[in-house]
Amino acid sequence: MKRVFLPLALAITVADLGASTVDLTPRYVESDVDGYKTRKLHFLDGSKKIGIGVDQETTVSTDGSGVVFKFPKFPDAGFRIATSPLSPEDSMSDASALERYRAAAKTWVPAGATEVQILEEVAGPLPINRWQSHRFVISYQAGAYAMKQSVTFLTMNPTTQLALVTTASTRNFAEAAERSFQIIRTWHEMLPGDELPDRGN
C-alpha cells in the first residue's frame, strides 16, 4: 500500500518561536433563548473574545500547533490558523525579512514532499482591518498527488502575527482558498451582545 501524505498532519517545529497574544484553542459560547440554541466559536486574546464564523460544512479541531478547519466535501483540503514563527516586527516590505518569510512558508510543506516550488507571492492579499499580510503559493508532490498550499503571514497588530495555511489537491485548491477566506474575513472581537443568537430583528 502506498503511503498517503495527509496535508494537515504536520509537525510544526517552529510554531512556538513567534509572537502572538491570541490563544488559538477553540472555545465556544453557547446560548439558549426561548428554545433557540446557538454555538459560536471564539478564541481568547487576553480578556477579549475573538469570534470567527464557520458553517455547517466545516469541522474544527486542534492539534497543538493551531486551529484546523476541514471541509468534509473536500477531504484533501483544509485550513490552519497558527502562530507565526516570525515576529510582527519583521517588515513584509524588507528584502532580507522576505527571505525569512519564504523559508518559514516552506516549513508547512509535509516532510517527504518533492518538487517543492514557490509559484507566486502576493503582497497585501487581505486588505481589511488595516492588517498587513504577505502570501506565498507553493506547489509540491505528495506521493502521486499534486498539491498546492498557500501560506499567508498576517500581522494584525504590533503583538500578533498569524500564519494562515490552506492546503489542498491542485484540483480542489481554488475551493479551499475561497472557504479559507470566508472564515478569516469573519474575525472580530465579540461584545457581550454577540453571545446572544440572532433572532432576526
Side-chain angles (χ1 to χ4, degrees):
M1 179 181 294
K2 290 185 176 180
R3 189 174 183 181
V4 177
F5 290 78
L6 299 178
L8 289 177
L10 308 180
I12 306 303
T13 59
V14 292
D16 59 345
L17 299 180
S20 176
T21 60
V22 180
D23 178 355
L24 291 169
T25 304
R27 293 175 170 84
Y28 295 88
V29 171
E30 297 187 3
S31 300
D32 187 338
V33 178
D34 296 334
Y36 182 91
K37 295 182 179 180
T38 185
R39 192 167 182 254
K40 293 186 177 182
L41 171 66
H42 71 278
F43 309 114
L44 294 181
D45 184 356
S47 61
K48 297 187 295 185
K49 292 179 180 178
I50 304 297
I52 199 165
V54 292
D55 60 26
Q56 295 180 345
E57 296 182 353
T58 304
T59 64
V60 183
S61 63
T62 186
D63 62 2
S65 63
V67 59
V68 177
F69 303 86
K70 293 286 287 181
F71 315 119
K73 287 187 176 180
F74 304 91
D76 63 14
F79 175 50
R80 177 192 300 276
I81 303 176
T83 299
S84 169
L86 300 178
S87 167
E89 297 179 355
D90 288 318
S91 172
M92 295 180 181
S93 59
D94 179 75
S96 61
L98 279 177
E99 282 300 320
R100 294 193 293 275
Y101 281 110
R102 290 185 191 101
K106 291 181 179 180
T107 65
W108 273 277
V109 175
T114 60
E115 301 179 36
V116 179
Q117 181 180 1
I118 294 179
L119 300 177
E120 182 182 7
E121 293 188 26
V122 182
L126 295 172
I128 54 178
N129 297 330
R130 297 184 179 179
W131 291 343
Q132 296 181 358
S133 56
H134 199 92
R135 175 174 296 156
F136 300 89
V137 179
I138 301 170
S139 66
Y140 62 89
Q141 284 291 130
Y145 300 92
M147 306 294 294
K148 287 183 73 173
Q149 186 174 77
S150 70
V151 181
T152 303
F153 294 98
L154 175 61
T155 299
M156 294 180 159
N157 54 54
T159 61
T160 300
Q161 185 181 87
L162 301 177
L164 316 178
V165 185
T166 300
T167 307
S169 64
T170 300
R171 178 181 60 183
N172 292 328
F173 181 78
E175 177 70 26
E178 176 61 23
R179 288 171 180 255
S180 300
F181 173 71
Q182 294 304 326
I183 291 171
I184 196 62
R185 71 189 293 269
T186 67
W187 185 283
H188 66 284
E189 181 180 352
M190 292 179 65
L191 302 176
D194 294 336
E195 298 185 12
L196 299 177
D198 182 359
R199 303 178 66 190
N201 52 30

